[in-house]
Amino acid sequence: MSIINQLEKEVKNLIKKSGYEIENFQLLPSNRKDLGDFQINDAMTLAKTYKKSPHLIAEEIVKELSSDSRFININIAGPGFINLSLSNEYLAEVVNTINKDIYENIDTLPPKKVIIDYGGANVSKTLHVGHLRSADIGEALKRLAKLLGYEVLGDAHLGDYGRPLGLIINEIKTMYPTLEYFNENYEGNYEDIDLPITNEDLETIYPKASEKAKLDEKYLEEARQITAKIQQHQKGYYDLWKKIVEISKEDIKKVYRDLNVEFELWFGESDAVEYLDELYKIYEQANVLKQSENAQIIEVKQPTDKAPMPPLLFIKSNGSISYETTDLATIIQRKKEYNPDEIWYCVDGRQELHFEQVFRAARLVKLIADNVKLDFIGFGTMNGPDGKPFKTRDGKVMSLKKLIALVQEATRKKLNPSITDKQEQEEISKKVAIAALKYADFLPFRSTDFIFEVEKFSDLEGKTGPYLLYSTIRIKSLLNKADIDYKTFYTINSTTEKEIILTILNLPKVLLKSLELKSLNEIAEFLYNLTALYNKFYAENKILIEKNQKLKESWLILTKLVFNTNLLLLNVLGINVPEKM
Ligand code: ARG
């Protein structure tokens, strides 16, 4: 149990000793630091329950609290607000405890198995800005949940199924009609065919095919038929599909690697296909499939709905299955293969209706046990300065690679001029660019839209990824330069030091709340606050040339504590710290 949690428990017991019971007791960091480090506001509520004056209650509580030497400066403000501070001796002990083991400052939760569906890259379609947020947030939530004791599996859930693939293959067929994949009489091994297509080609083929299909009904129909052929695993077409998925996946993996995003599972929508028959039977037997024109639909509206809730399209009029149906089949797959306690979907907020339909349809037939939580973790849009989803100058969706390159252009200019090696510049500026993007992504509450501002994101000052990296690197270099063996934190010498310790003490709550809200904004804020406080402390003291050895040792220990806390949290956010920048 973390120190703050333990402390709260003990205060709660002292309050109980004074005769009062508080259900959810919290030691709140004070917003009036001149009055105390923490405040206890419960006397007001207790006054109602116990029909006594809050001041009287506060006095009784204070009496109990005074028996514990860790609490000092206990006072009552106004009608019954209790303020208290922690003694310097105790805070020094806190520093030493956490320094020995940073996990002393983390609360873990009862174990749980969670699958996080994030990333959602589409095969042969360029990864774009929307996928960035899913990757950033999903990966960070996964790391946070693991840190707090959950077993978590991240699934890339690749979009490898459906019409886009039919369109791509149709276009390839137009370009290379003599390829053996299209030759029904081909007897050879498909593995041996040299496909003259790279991932870059694929990324241009899809938009081209999709434009053509809009104007040419016959072309579209051919693509539909090819889609069906892939789904029926027809020789040639199916083999080409596999090959394309492979090429595309390689590239997708590279981008995710740059982003520091790692999936435990690399399933695609197509992996749910083997569960389609079972899925169909379940819905058929439950008698909930309705015929509408030539399609089959499921009603999912409820009497309490305030907004319109359209039926879920189960099977399209042309017989093919929908995006909703794939997600339903994937629930069966996940249940059977992993049996999770929760499934989280970290997807663009604009898909909320889709998931509401899917979850309702799943609950309708108990596709998964009622106590398995299905949670949609929607996020806002990254907008351009015009307030609309961020696009390229000519109005197209910007690819993730272009976006990273754009930020990298800015971060490259900010590198220390002593870094002259071109390759090193490239690697470091990329890491910094990704930190800039990710941190900007985490700073607003998850569901909030935000505006993409290269200059602001890549600034070395202010609430930015580069500021955090730069500061953390400087802290590390200070520790490396230390010429004494530092083991013990002796005592607090300034209010800045005390603020640093109190900030760190509060970390377990920030972590738990972030997981509860499934948003990383508080961790992002915490990192900034801690780093800014440390930088203030750094400016106030000349650590390395301090003559008083005990003081110097204490300062170095505090420095190490901040460094380790920063590293831990940057790692949760999936941000890598370069050696220099
Ligand atoms: N591939 C989808 C897209 O690009 C995202 C997939 C999200 N996950 C899911 N289970 N539907 O929009």
Side-chain angles (χ1 to χ4, degrees), residues 117 120-122 128 131 157-159 269 323 327 334 345 347 351 354-355:
D117 178 319
N122 298 314
H128 57 73
H131 296 119
H157 198 71
L158 290 182
E269 293 175 5
Y323 180 41
D327 267 323
R334 289 178 177 157
Y345 298 82
V347 184
Q351 294 195 24
H354 162 83
F355 283 100

Side-chain angles (χ1 to χ4, degrees), residues 65 102 164 191 308 317 375 484 502 578:
L65 292 175
I102 203 160
E191 300 288 307
S317 52
D375 201 359
I484 58 161
L502 287 171

Side-chain angles (χ1 to χ4, degrees), residues 295-308:
Q296 297 193 54
I297 58 166
I298 302 170
E299 284 296 351
V300 289
K301 51 174 195 271
Q302 288 163 1
T304 47
D305 284 339
K306 299 220 163 53

Side-chain angles (χ1 to χ4, degrees), residues 459-475:
D459 203 337
L460 287 175
E461 292 295 331
K463 281 189 186 175
T464 68
Y467 170 74
L468 294 179
L469 291 187
Y470 181 80
S471 307
T472 306
I473 292 171
R474 191 168 68 179
I475 297 175

